[in-house]
């Protein structure tokens, strides 16, 4: 019996095929070979090419049909599973309401933040940061301050409370939104610091005060304030430099000229941040944000307290150690003394601070001589008389500093004691 896949029911017969039984041949048809005769099909002879180098043409084989790769099936399966999972996830995370799906939060569990993160620092200190609105000479300016104690004392900058040189009416806004008038306790132009006080306010949150002496360049810091009136604005950065001497206020500023031995930071500080805290990673105050470097090279006040431009990454803060010395004096006496060296310098001289005279109180101290050029104080570079004034006033009275002095072609290191004075001397008197 022939296999089923043969095309003829009777199976193959040699190289020919038999006619189906019961089918008669036509009368004029040629005789059909019997089952035992084979039909031979003549094949024409094709002459082969002769001669060297002549190749015999060969008919190309048809390309075999490749089976479908298993990988295609796997990809299809993965895509189908992904689509199915997405649909199921949408149904699980949502609820059907009237034929519509309302998506729900994936998790309502509270986010746990470890101590030392910016969010945890801000949450702890915001109640101790206040925002100031000062009306002076018909103009309203804004600033920031920090709560010092439960008696309602608030520390801020002098240029915030007296932008035109005289104190204006100040309103304090707390983080709760409460607003209270504040009275001026005292202010000091030379250090650009002032203390206010609110009375009858319960539940105050004084901020923890640290020390700038423990700060190193590269330490992370956080600044809080109200730039352009946007209360509660938080920025962060690092300490870019320490002992950065600068003057702020300028000759055109009604707030007066101040000498600062500042911390430099790249945390963005803008107008309205003045008087706000600069905080370390522990959430303690290490500085009071005071000035920014203006991008206007023609400004008479490059480290401006009145500049209205934005941050360019050069912000400056009064170290909290100096701020607290001044604040204590303002609270106790209403005035602040200044740290002095007992000498007069040439403010026009560049390349150091050239001593022009020694104060009578310091004549008995043979350390400094007229003509000496001071080029460093405790290792901090001095390039001008303003630099020396800022570094001296940033130091505590009663301490002894080491001055690097050039005298008669030689470099010497001289220990010099600092003292305090209540007198407001000329700018060149240190």
């Amino acid at each position: 019996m022939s296999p089923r896949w043969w095309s003829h029911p009777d199976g193959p017969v040699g190289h020919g095929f038999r006619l189906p039984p019961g089918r008669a041949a036509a009368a004029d048809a040629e005789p059909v070979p019997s089952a035992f005769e084979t039909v031979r099909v003549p094949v024409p002879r094709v002459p082969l090419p002769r001669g060297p180098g002549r190749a015999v043409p060969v008919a190309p084989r048809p390309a075999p049909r490749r089976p479908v790769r298993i990988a295609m099936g796997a990809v299809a399966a993965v895509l189908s599973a992904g689509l199915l999972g997405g649909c199921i996830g949408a149904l699980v995370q949502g609820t059907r309401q009237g034929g519509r799906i309302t998506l729900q939060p994936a998790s309502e569990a509270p986010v746990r933040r470890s101590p030392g993160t910016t969010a945890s620092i801000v949450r702890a200190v915001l109640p101790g940061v206040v925002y100031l609105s000062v009306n002076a000479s018909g103009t309203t300016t804004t600033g920031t301050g920090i709560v010092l104690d439960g008696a309602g004392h608030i520390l801020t900058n002098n240029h915030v409370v007296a932008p035109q040189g005289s104190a204006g009416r100040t309103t304090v806004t707390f983080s709760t939104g409460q607003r209270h008038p504040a009275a001026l306790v005292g202010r000091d132009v030379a250090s650009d610091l002032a203390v206010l006080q609110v009375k009858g306010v319960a539940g105050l949150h004084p901020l923890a005060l640290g020390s700038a002496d423990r700060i190193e360049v590269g330490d992370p810091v956080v600044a809080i304030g109200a730039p352009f009136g946007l209360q509660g604005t938080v920025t962060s950065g690092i300490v870019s430099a320490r002992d950065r001497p600068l003057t702020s206020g300028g000759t055109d500023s009604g707030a007066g000229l101040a000498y600062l031995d500042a911390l430099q930071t790249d945390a963005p500080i803008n107008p309205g941040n003045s008087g706000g805290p600069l905080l370390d990673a522990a959430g303690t105050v290490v500085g009071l944000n005071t000035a920014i470097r203006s991008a206007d090279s023609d400004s008479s006040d490059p480290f401006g307290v009145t500049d209205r431009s934005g941050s360019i990454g050069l912000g400056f803060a009064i170290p909290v150690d100096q701020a607290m010395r001044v604040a204590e004096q303002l609270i106790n006496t209403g005035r602040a003394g200044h740290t002095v060296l007992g000498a007069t310098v040439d403010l026009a001289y560049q390349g150091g601070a050239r001593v022009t005279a020694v104060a009578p109180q310091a004549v008995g101290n043979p350390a400094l001589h007229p003509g000496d050029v001071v080029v460093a104080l405790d290792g901090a570079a001095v390039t001008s008389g303003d630099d020396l004034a800022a570094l001296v006033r940033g130091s505590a009275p009663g301490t002894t500093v080491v001055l690097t002095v050039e005298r008669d072609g030689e470099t010497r290191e001289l220990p010099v004691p600092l003292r305090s004075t209540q007198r407001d001397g000329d700018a060149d008197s240190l």
Side-chain angles (χ1 to χ4, degrees), residues 150-166:
H153 290 111
I154 294 170
L155 179 64
T156 186
N157 287 125
N158 172 66
H159 74 263
V160 171
V161 301
Q164 304 300 324
S166 59

Side-chain angles (χ1 to χ4, degrees), residues 24 32 48 54-55 124 169 186 204 213 217 227 287 305 307 325 366 410:
V32 178
L48 298 177
R54 302 297 298 271
R169 290 182 290 106
L204 295 176
D213 291 339
V217 174
V305 297
D307 187 64
R325 286 196 303 269
E410 297 181 355

Side-chain angles (χ1 to χ4, degrees), residues 351-353 373-383 388 391 401-406 412-414:
V373 177
V374 181
V375 295
L377 184 151
D378 284 343
V382 172
T383 62
L388 183 59
L391 293 173
V401 297
V402 176
L403 299 180
T404 303
V405 175
E406 294 179 351
R412 307 183 182 190
E413 291 191 348
L414 307 176

Side-chain angles (χ1 to χ4, degrees), residues 21-364:
R23 180 177 178 181
D28 57 350
E30 296 182 1
V32 178
S34 67
F36 302 100
E37 294 178 346
T38 59
V39 178
R40 301 183 181 275
V41 179
V43 178
R45 296 180 178 273
V46 179
L48 298 177
R50 300 179 181 276
R54 302 297 298 271
V56 179
V58 179
R61 294 184 179 182
R65 299 182 63 183
R66 297 183 179 179
V68 178
R69 296 179 180 271
I70 298 177
M72 296 297 294
V75 171
V78 170
L79 293 175
S80 300
L83 292 174
L84 180 60
C87 295
I88 293 175
L91 292 175
V92 170
Q93 294 294 329
T95 57
R96 185 174 296 276
Q97 298 177 353
R100 301 178 65 184
I101 293 178
T102 302
L103 298 180
Q104 301 294 333
S107 174
E108 297 182 357
V111 178
R112 296 182 178 179
R113 294 179 175 85
S114 59
T117 62
T118 300
S120 63
I121 292 173
V122 172
R123 184 171 56 252
V125 304
L126 271 182
V129 181
V130 298
Y131 311 100
L132 310 177
S133 176
V134 180
N135 188 298
S137 302
T139 302
T140 300
T141 58
T142 60
T144 311
I146 63 174
V147 177
L148 291 178
D149 54 31
H153 290 111
I154 294 170
L155 179 64
T156 186
N157 287 125
N158 172 66
H159 74 263
V160 171
V161 301
Q164 304 300 324
S166 59
R169 290 182 290 106
T170 303
T171 301
V172 176
T173 302
F174 291 86
S175 61
T176 59
Q178 294 178 299
R179 295 166 60 89
H180 296 273
L184 178 65
V185 175
R187 64 188 185 94
D188 181 54
V189 174
S191 62
D192 196 10
L193 292 168
V195 175
L196 303 170
Q197 186 177 21
V198 292
K199 295 183 178 180
V201 181
L204 295 176
H205 295 269
L207 293 186
L209 304 178
S211 174
D213 291 339
R214 296 196 300 264
I215 287 292
E216 294 185 2
V217 174
D219 282 348
V221 287
V222 174
I224 302 178
F228 299 101
L230 300 174
Q231 299 178 2
T233 297
V234 178
T235 57
S236 62
I238 63 169
V239 174
S240 304
R242 295 183 49 179
D243 297 317
R244 185 70 78 189
L246 57 92
T247 59
S248 68
T251 56
D252 297 333
S253 172
L257 184 65
Y259 293 91
L260 306 178
D261 177 16
L263 293 173
Q264 180 181 328
T265 179
D266 67 349
I269 296 175
N270 294 287
N273 274 102
S274 292
L278 187 70
L279 306 153
D280 62 11
T284 61
V285 180
V286 295
L288 202 71
N289 300 320
T290 299
I292 62 173
R293 179 63 167 90
S294 172
D296 183 6
S297 59
D298 296 328
S299 172
S300 62
D301 182 17
F303 297 100
V305 297
T306 58
D307 187 64
R308 304 304 296 174
S309 62
S311 170
I312 59 172
L314 296 174
F316 303 91
I318 300 173
V320 69
D321 312 78
Q322 177 187 356
M324 290 315 303
R325 286 196 303 269
V326 175
E328 288 175 357
Q329 296 178 66
L330 293 177
I331 292 172
N332 293 328
T333 67
R335 296 191 62 187
H338 305 138
T339 306
V340 294
L341 187 64
T344 303
V345 297
D346 180 4
L347 294 180
Y349 185 83
Q350 296 297 313
R354 185 169 63 185
V355 177
T356 58
V358 178
Q361 298 90 337
V363 172

